[in-house]
Amino acid sequence: MPIIQITLVEGRDTARVERCIREVARVASETLDAPLASIRVMVTEVPANRFAVGTTLKSDPPTPAGGTA
């Protein structure tokens, strides 16, 4: 039973996330030759102030071009 976990920064439209779940399940079923009913897809959404790239939080304001974060 394939189990797929996706982590996203919250804020995306619900319909888009649901479409992603369905498409990931479909592709996993096809590429792994696994029954669709056996595929599990979970999405965890985290607040922007709980996700960082290096020391830059996703909730931080954008830096000017050429600036460092």
Side-chain angles (χ1 to χ4, degrees):
M1 165 180 18
I3 301 172
I4 301 159
Q5 173 113 24
I6 301 170
T7 303
L8 299 171
V9 175
E10 67 185 5
R12 287 181 172 80
D13 179 68
T14 298
R16 285 185 177 270
V17 175
E18 290 173 354
R19 180 176 174 211
C20 177
I21 292 168
R22 290 186 177 99
E23 289 296 315
V24 167
R26 183 187 59 74
V27 169
S29 174
E30 291 172 4
T31 58
L32 299 173
D33 196 26
L36 190 56
S38 74
I39 307 295
R40 306 294 188 260
V41 179
M42 295 174 282
V43 172
T44 302
E45 293 185 280
V46 297
N49 66 345
R50 297 291 188 259
F51 184 92
V53 176
T55 60
T56 304
L57 295 170
K58 290 296 282 182
S59 59
D60 288 345
T63 57
T68 58

